[in-house]
Amino acid sequence: MTRYIVMRLLWLVPVVLGVSLIVFTIMKMVPGDVAQVIAGMDGTAEDVALIRRELGLDRPVYEQYLTFLWRSLQGDFGRSAVTKRPVTEEIASRIGPTLELAVAAFAVAIVLGLIAGIVSATHRYTVWDNLATLISLIGVSMPVFWLGLMLMMLFSVTLGWLPSSGAGSFSQLILPALALGSASTAIIARQTRSGLLEVLGQDYVRTARAKGLTEQAVLVKHALKNALIPTITVAGLQVGYLMGGAVLAETVFARPGLGRLLVESIAQRNIPVVQTTIMLLSVTFVLVNLAVDLLYVKLDPRIQYD
């Protein structure tokens, strides 16, 4: 197991290098001049040229990329082209609302998805199954921004129950979490239903029933544990989706999080912030998948990575 974990962590190196190269290349292809952004609208041509030399933008592209990598290894991700603050401070000040939103949306997806999946599987071909299927199809079909606007119109504008923007309180978290977690809820519900139906037809489940166990005991002690293994795979992938989807949710609900910072930085051509934010999201996605793989062993001892 230790060897497997070390190997997976080593795989982070080419992944991060690939992401950094792709992001660096894309940002180089975007029109505009970051030196002009830093100099401001009143900056002279001399000011812009001086900034370009200080940032190394007058050097060959490969030298710029290697310099970026070397500084990143030292924990130096540069300064924001807009606020002039270190990028690490800029991200640290915004990551709280994003983590809060991603965790809340994940909790919504897990709780509602598992409940819907279990009810659907245990009441197959009934009105509850059809209702859960319909809600799942609606949830996975609606874009985050559209659902967010509809929730805002209903609960904020029409009913006045919940705030439509901002961050810091539980009430301001409900609507963004529902909008962001809806698609993941639907996916987890369908996966749970499918996995549970397959397990409920196995011989060991029939044996458990023949021993006189109640249907609830069969479900909790025998069926659910094995049925959740593929669901955990899907749920782990959804974490990456939720971190990326926070960009849309934070924009719609005006939350001052990492996603909104990324959108603002792309519009302002704030390259250091864009590069660092995307690399952070990529590393988070890989680490979450590693955690999911390790969780398999706890749920199913038959799985051996060594």
Side-chain angles (χ1 to χ4, degrees):
M1 179 61 74
T2 303
R3 181 174 177 273
Y4 175 77
I5 295 174
V6 172
M7 292 298 294
R8 286 293 300 267
L9 291 176
L10 289 176
W11 268 107
L12 273 176
V13 178
V15 170
V16 172
L17 284 175
V19 171
S20 66
L21 181 59
I22 292 172
V23 174
F24 184 85
T25 303
I26 291 175
M27 295 311 296
K28 283 296 176 186
M29 296 170 65
V30 174
D33 188 351
V34 67
Q36 184 65 61
V37 174
I38 296 175
M41 296 300 295
D42 299 329
T44 63
E46 291 75 15
D47 295 334
V48 174
L50 178 60
I51 293 172
R52 290 182 63 81
R53 281 197 299 275
E54 290 178 347
L55 296 179
L57 298 177
D58 56 344
R59 299 175 188 168
V61 174
Y62 74 90
E63 282 191 23
Q64 295 179 40
Y65 176 66
L66 293 177
T67 301
F68 162 71
L69 285 182
W70 177 245
R71 289 179 176 173
S72 298
L73 288 174
Q74 297 173 316
D76 179 11
F77 296 97
R79 290 180 175 272
S80 167
V82 177
T83 64
K84 309 298 187 295
R85 296 170 60 194
V87 172
T88 50
E89 290 185 10
E90 197 83 11
I91 290 178
S93 66
R94 297 291 196 97
I95 198 170
T98 299
L99 289 177
E100 183 182 65
L101 175 58
V103 170
F106 188 69
V108 168
I110 287 292
V111 173
L112 298 183
L114 287 179
I115 292 175
I118 292 171
V119 170
S120 183
T122 54
H123 298 75
R124 191 179 185 185
Y125 302 138
T126 65
V127 64
W128 294 108
D129 185 19
N130 294 332
L131 183 62
T133 302
L134 177 63
I135 294 176
S136 297
L137 287 175
I138 293 174
V140 80
S141 303
M142 287 189 296
V144 172
F145 69 93
W146 187 86
L147 179 60
L149 292 175
M150 293 301 103
L151 291 174
M152 192 184 298
M153 286 290 293
L154 177 61
F155 293 103
S156 299
V157 178
T158 304
L159 300 175
W161 290 353
L162 296 169
S164 62
S165 62
S169 67
F170 180 72
S171 61
Q172 292 172 312
L173 186 61
I174 296 175
L175 294 184
L178 288 175
L180 181 58
S182 62
S184 299
T185 300
I187 293 171
I188 290 174
R190 301 310 299 166
Q191 182 60 60
T192 302
R193 179 185 185 277
S194 175
L196 199 53
L197 285 176
E198 182 178 348
V199 169
L200 287 174
Q202 297 295 318
D203 291 339
Y204 68 89
V205 172
R206 285 194 287 269
T207 302
R209 286 172 174 155
K211 289 179 178 177
L213 292 178
T214 64
E215 195 63 28
Q216 184 178 5
V218 170
L219 180 66
V220 175
K221 294 182 178 179
H222 297 278
L224 201 54
K225 183 177 179 180
N226 293 326
L228 285 183
I229 293 177
T231 302
I232 290 174
T233 305
V234 173
L237 295 174
Q238 293 307 305
V239 173
Y241 164 78
L242 293 174
M243 292 293 288
V247 175
L248 290 174
E250 289 176 353
T251 302
V252 172
F253 292 96
R255 289 178 61 85
L258 201 59
R260 197 175 174 196
L261 173 66
L262 180 61
V263 173
E264 294 170 350
S265 300
I266 292 174
Q268 297 164 340
R269 209 170 187 276
N270 196 347
I271 294 175
V273 174
V274 174
Q275 289 175 330
T276 308
T277 304
I278 294 178
M279 287 178 65
L280 175 64
L281 294 174
S282 303
V283 172
T284 301
F285 186 80
V286 175
L287 291 178
V288 167
N289 277 279
L290 173 60
V292 170
D293 287 348
L294 298 180
L295 192 58
Y296 286 164
V297 180
K298 294 294 182 183
L299 290 174
D300 190 348
R302 294 172 299 177
I303 299 176
Q304 297 292 331
Y305 289 122
D306 291 335

